[in-house]
Amino acid sequence: MITSTLLMLAVGLFAGIMGAILGIGGGMIITPIITLALGLDIKYAIGASIIAVIATSSGSTIAFLKDDVLNLRVAMFLEIATTIGAIVGAILTGIFHPAILYFLFGSLLIFSSWNMYRKLRSGKEILKRAKPDKWAQKFNLNSSYFDKNLNKQIDYQVENIPGGLSIMFGAGIASGMLGIGSGAFKVMAMDNAMKMPLKPSSATSNLMMGVTAAASASVYFFNGSIKPGIAVPLALGILVGAAIGSRIMQHLPSRVIRMIFIPILLYLGLQMIFKAFGVTIVTI
């Protein structure tokens, strides 16, 4: 019992650190560990993943808000599109074959990893146009943050608001129909489509994930998928890890975060494409 609790705390600590740095849910970290390595039922892994996302969001968002890294206005805009998409996805369940959606969204993630690689090669992190996006100006979405790695204030512009909203609407549909997390899609929408720097994209994604997960947590609680013996030590470890990860992220070069994120996007994309053809690597 004590060994299991300590192990869950350690797994949660690691998942919280990585989730806060990358702006993704802890599900892709926790699920493989507690199902493959520990042999626990996938039902409890899914419930633990929901708790992981909420805990990661709670632990990291406090630090990101305090340091003014996340973009609240962008978060509200994209969360509206995600929520509507999730509702539409739930309504459309059974109309489209899941394999088609897995293939399309997997391809989108792979394409996004390529775009991230191109951005890594070019070294251009901040968008500065002579004529800012009219929608970004109208809704006051452009912002700034203090980069603790560069030790200076970074002003950045946001563009292609319709493109970001479209990606998040599609991600919401995928979440509603396939039951997958959309943390990677959130970062992708902000970083690739809306041209936000990676650090504010990651911080904003952390806030949005918690809102999305909290909406579905009660369903998993009442159907018995959340097992306290697993979820509680995981959540405690994640809260500490997320607080640590949010501090580490702000001191890391954006290039390093991008180098970690690219293979994760590629892995998730390939995983979804394989699943489209009936091959499951690890449950998402």
Side-chain angles (χ1 to χ4, degrees):
M1 181 70 178
I2 295 175
T3 303
S4 176
T5 301
L6 291 175
L7 186 58
M8 289 300 172
L9 282 168
V11 171
L13 185 69
F14 175 70
I17 291 173
M18 295 305 295
I21 290 174
L22 300 173
I24 58 176
M28 68 167 292
I29 299 169
I30 288 173
T31 301
I33 294 175
I34 66 178
T35 54
L36 299 181
L38 305 181
L40 293 176
D41 195 309
I42 187 66
K43 172 184 176 182
Y44 301 121
I46 294 172
S49 295
I50 294 294
I51 298 300
V53 172
I54 297 173
T56 301
S57 177
S58 303
S60 60
T61 297
I62 295 170
F64 290 140
L65 273 172
K66 183 180 178 182
D67 294 335
D68 203 24
V69 181
L70 60 81
N71 193 319
L72 280 172
R73 287 181 175 271
V74 170
M76 289 188 290
F77 260 77
L78 296 187
E79 197 60 49
I80 291 170
T82 309
T83 304
I84 295 173
I87 294 170
V88 173
I91 294 172
L92 295 178
T93 300
I95 295 178
F96 295 101
H97 197 285
I100 298 174
L101 292 176
Y102 275 120
F103 183 82
L104 289 175
F105 283 97
S107 301
L108 184 60
L109 286 173
I110 291 175
F111 178 71
S112 178
S113 69
W114 168 246
N115 276 340
M116 270 204 173
Y117 174 71
R118 288 172 57 195
K119 203 169 183 178
L120 178 66
R121 288 284 301 272
S122 68
K124 294 179 181 178
E125 186 68 26
I126 309 300
L127 174 70
K128 291 183 179 178
R129 296 197 186 280
K131 188 177 181 181
D133 185 281
K134 64 177 182 179
W135 289 105
Q137 283 190 310
K138 183 175 181 179
F139 294 108
N140 196 22
L141 300 181
N142 297 325
S143 188
S144 64
Y145 72 101
F146 185 80
D147 193 310
K148 293 184 179 180
N149 175 253
L150 301 176
N151 199 32
K152 67 177 183 180
Q153 191 76 15
I154 303 293
D155 298 319
Y156 64 90
Q157 297 174 357
V158 180
E159 69 169 34
N160 193 17
I161 313 303
L165 289 171
S166 298
I167 292 175
M168 290 317 303
F169 179 72
I173 290 177
S175 297
M177 293 186 69
L178 305 176
I180 62 173
S182 57
F185 287 102
K186 287 178 170 66
V187 177
M188 181 181 72
M190 289 179 276
D191 179 73
N192 286 348
M194 301 172 72
K195 302 297 187 286
M196 283 175 57
L198 189 57
K199 288 185 179 181
S201 297
S202 174
T204 305
S205 174
N206 269 292
L207 170 64
M208 293 169 64
M209 284 190 307
V211 176
T212 305
S216 59
S218 59
V219 176
Y220 289 93
F221 177 79
F222 286 112
N223 69 15
S225 297
I226 297 176
K227 194 172 184 179
I230 299 172
V232 171
L234 273 176
L236 291 174
I238 287 167
L239 282 170
V240 175
I244 295 171
S246 62
R247 297 300 180 188
I248 293 174
M249 188 272 272
Q250 297 186 58
H251 290 279
L252 284 176
S254 296
R255 181 179 179 85
V256 173
I257 301 174
R258 203 172 289 282
M259 289 173 68
I260 299 171
F261 207 93
I262 288 170
I264 290 177
L265 277 182
L266 185 61
Y267 167 76
L268 288 175
L270 289 173
Q271 186 184 50
M272 292 182 77
I273 289 176
F274 281 133
K275 198 161 187 175
F277 292 99
V279 179
T280 302
I281 305 173
V282 176
T283 302
I284 299 175

